[in-house]
């Protein structure tokens, strides 16, 4: 007798993608990463733990260190090195955020006042330097020259990407490819490095290292594109930042690039005035959102993100099924679903 | 028949101490360091070499990389690693200067406009990050875990020292010991690390590593104290910076700390108004210089520097005489003689 399985075509869509898979997978290791993060922000100079903790404890998802732990797990690594590398990755990320806030004159970060608003630009620059130094110290302690090489190269590429963004800033005619190069540098490179060091620790073959790197790179691109989309459409509560921040700061992101290219000459003047000349007045954000909607720029940005997400998932194809692989696949879905 | 040697009691004083000894000692290696510095500031992002070259080619003496080369020579090291470590040390120094200018709101650096005045704070922060990343890349290429450990620890200590200075800033009642702790961090630590990696590369015993570290640390303290003195009394042309910069920026250095402690209550009010409240008016710099002279604060600062210089020289006592040792001894004399 045939068993009739109930079939619900809406089930896949209804199941809210979440980080639950990766969170459970790495829970005990993340406790150790968090303890290490706390201990390595310690200093007799009390301003250092104050500034560092303000940002580190402000509710980031700690996605990047979880990726290091999960790819180490995927690679069958059973040592201790992934804890320190994961904490290093989070410190590199935090240092970048501190410096970015200074570079962008940002007032808010993760729904709280940016550290620079409370302690000044000076402290943000220097505590960032401190955390970067501590990140290198921890990497060195792990003793893998290859992991050191990957993460230090990432630090260079990230800084280079940020300078490129600075040099290219305020140009609404930036091409989509140029924009992609920027976000590969400023966001995706650290995701890639965080994922690549997992199989490196596990002494896995080059193909697996490259696969994890590719997973991280493409996940990172998708993650940033969704961030860009959320800045114009997501709920502020989700991201802890206000809708329209990028617009007010004159940041030219993919939704804008697409609306600019798809728009009329009159619309292009509007974008140039707001983003290149920085003349933003009453009602301009609303008008910008109307234009983005009219040209389906947000939807297109999410579609682009899905494309990179698909590449990320396929990159893991050669790994055997199991909880680590499933957690990494779910992470991609979660990152993209944030834009719903 | 006895030969009567001409004796000129003024000869020692008349012979102007110079860097000629260390410059000749490391000349061919420094050519390679300079070429490496140029090649590693290269980037497709043209703003990076522009900003980096502006500062790097602005006539710094490159004392720190020369120290790495000279201590490697002293240690009988014949490999290639000292070239890359020397370039790393100079990059760490340059990154610190770029970030310091942002932290201090400085307008000038080495007699030229500070990079931040030409390219903005943003570029100074990010190009500093880039150079720090490149410094780590070069260290890693050398492959000495111990050298990596020394230089990355230095990066942490430097950042920590800068934050400590920030937290302690604007306090005229800072004690001399507290001030020394600050300059150990912000200046002397990098000198110490630059000198320690020489014998590390040469696989010399711990005692020699510690001796070179001590030489560098004490030379660094002396160097900074002379800088402090020069800011109130040296000729502007020598340092490429204007007399009184520290005063105008409200920096509290040893000459001021001494004049403050040696002065009357009325004088202390003057220092507090100028340096803590930052109310500097016409004639205040001149009055400050008078007070420094009246309390012999500059002379005392130079005396303190001589003390650390003497420790630095004694630290090399166990090394056999030779051109490398002599060059390092002369370097101490040169650094102190700048305040003449």
């Amino acid at each position: 007798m045939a068993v009739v399985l109930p079939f619900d075509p809406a089930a896949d869509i209804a199941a809210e993608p979440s980080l639950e898979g990766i969170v459970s997978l790495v829970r005990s290791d993340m406790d150790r990463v968090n303890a290490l993060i706390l201990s390595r922000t310690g200093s007799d100079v009390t301003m250092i733990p104050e500034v560092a903790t303000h940002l580190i404890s402000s509710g980031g998802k700690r996605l990047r260190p979880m990726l290091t732990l999960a790819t180490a797990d995927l690679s069958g690594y059973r040592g201790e090195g992934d804890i320190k590398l994961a904490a290093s990755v989070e410190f590199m990320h935090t240092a970048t955020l501190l410096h970015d806030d200074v570079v962008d004159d940002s007032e808010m970060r993760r729904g709280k006042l940016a550290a620079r608003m409370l302690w000044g630009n000076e402290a943000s620059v220097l505590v960032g330097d401190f955390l970067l130094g501590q990140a290198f110290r921890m990497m060195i302690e792990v003793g893998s020259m290859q992991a050191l090489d990957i993460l230090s190269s990432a630090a260079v590429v990230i800084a280079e990407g940020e300078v490129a963004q600075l040099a290219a800033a305020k140009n609404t005619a930036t091409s989509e490819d140029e924009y992609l190069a920027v976000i590969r540098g400023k966001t995706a490179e650290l995701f890639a490095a965080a994922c690549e060091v997992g199989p490196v620790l596990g002494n896995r073959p080059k193909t697996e290292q490259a696969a994890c790197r590719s997973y991280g790179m493409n996940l990172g691109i998708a993650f940033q594109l969704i961030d860009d989309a959320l800045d114009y459409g997501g709920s502020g509560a989700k991201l802890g930042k206000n809708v329209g921040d990028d617009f007010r700061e004159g940041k030219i992101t993919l939704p804008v690039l697409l609306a600019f290219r798809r728009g009329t000459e009159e619309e292009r003047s509007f974008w140039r005035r707001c983003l290149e000349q920085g003349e933003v007045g009453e009602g301009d954000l609303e008008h910008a959102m109307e234009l983005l909607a009219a040209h389906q720029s947000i939807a297109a940005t999410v579609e682009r993100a899905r494309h990179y997400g698909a590449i990320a998932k396929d990159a893991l194809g050669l790994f055997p099924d199991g909880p680590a692989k499933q957690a990494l696949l779910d992470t991609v879905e979660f990152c993209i679903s944030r834009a719903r």
Side-chain angles (χ1 to χ4, degrees), chain A residues 51-117:
Chain A
V51 175
T53 313
H54 172 78
L55 185 53
I56 290 174
S57 67
S58 67
K61 290 175 291 300
R62 304 209 176 165
L63 191 52
R64 294 160 188 81
M66 287 200 292
L67 289 171
T68 298
L69 298 174
T71 53
D73 185 308
L74 181 73
S75 309
Y77 178 68
R78 292 290 167 263
E80 302 279 307
D82 56 341
I83 308 290
K84 283 184 177 168
L85 291 188
S88 296
V89 163
E90 185 68 6
F91 272 19
M92 286 175 69
H93 176 53
T94 309
T96 309
L97 294 184
L98 283 168
H99 286 184
D100 276 1
D101 285 343
V102 173
V103 168
D104 296 342
D105 278 328
S106 303
E107 296 180 4
M108 302 293 286
R109 166 71 67 187
R110 292 178 181 161
K112 292 169 74 171
L113 276 176
R116 60 178 283 273
M117 302 299 288

Side-chain angles (χ1 to χ4, degrees), chain A residues 28-42 52 56 62 65 69 80-91 130-131 134-135 137-139 141-142:
Chain A
S28 65
D29 281 348
M30 268 309 282
D31 288 345
R32 298 172 60 202
V33 171
N34 289 332
L36 186 59
I37 284 174
L38 266 185
S39 87
R40 295 300 174 101
T41 48
I56 290 174
R62 304 209 176 165
L69 298 174
E80 302 279 307
D82 56 341
I83 308 290
K84 283 184 177 168
L85 291 188
S88 296
V89 163
E90 185 68 6
F91 272 19
F130 173 84
L131 292 176
Q134 289 288 52
R137 304 268 309 133
M138 286 190 279
M139 287 173 217
E141 287 167 17
V142 174

Side-chain angles (χ1 to χ4, degrees), chain A residues 256-297:
Chain A
V256 170
L257 292 182
L258 293 174
F260 183 84
R261 279 174 191 269
R262 294 173 178 188
T264 64
E265 202 40 62
E266 191 191 334
E267 290 170 11
R268 289 185 193 142
S269 302
F270 165 80
W271 291 114
R272 281 196 208 95
R273 168 173 66 76
C274 293
L275 299 176
E276 294 188 7
Q277 280 112 53
E279 294 166 14
V280 175
E282 187 100 22
D284 280 341
L285 175 60
E286 290 68 19
H287 185 54
M289 308 265 295
E290 283 162 17
L291 294 180
L292 294 172
H295 296 295
Q296 300 186 291
S297 312

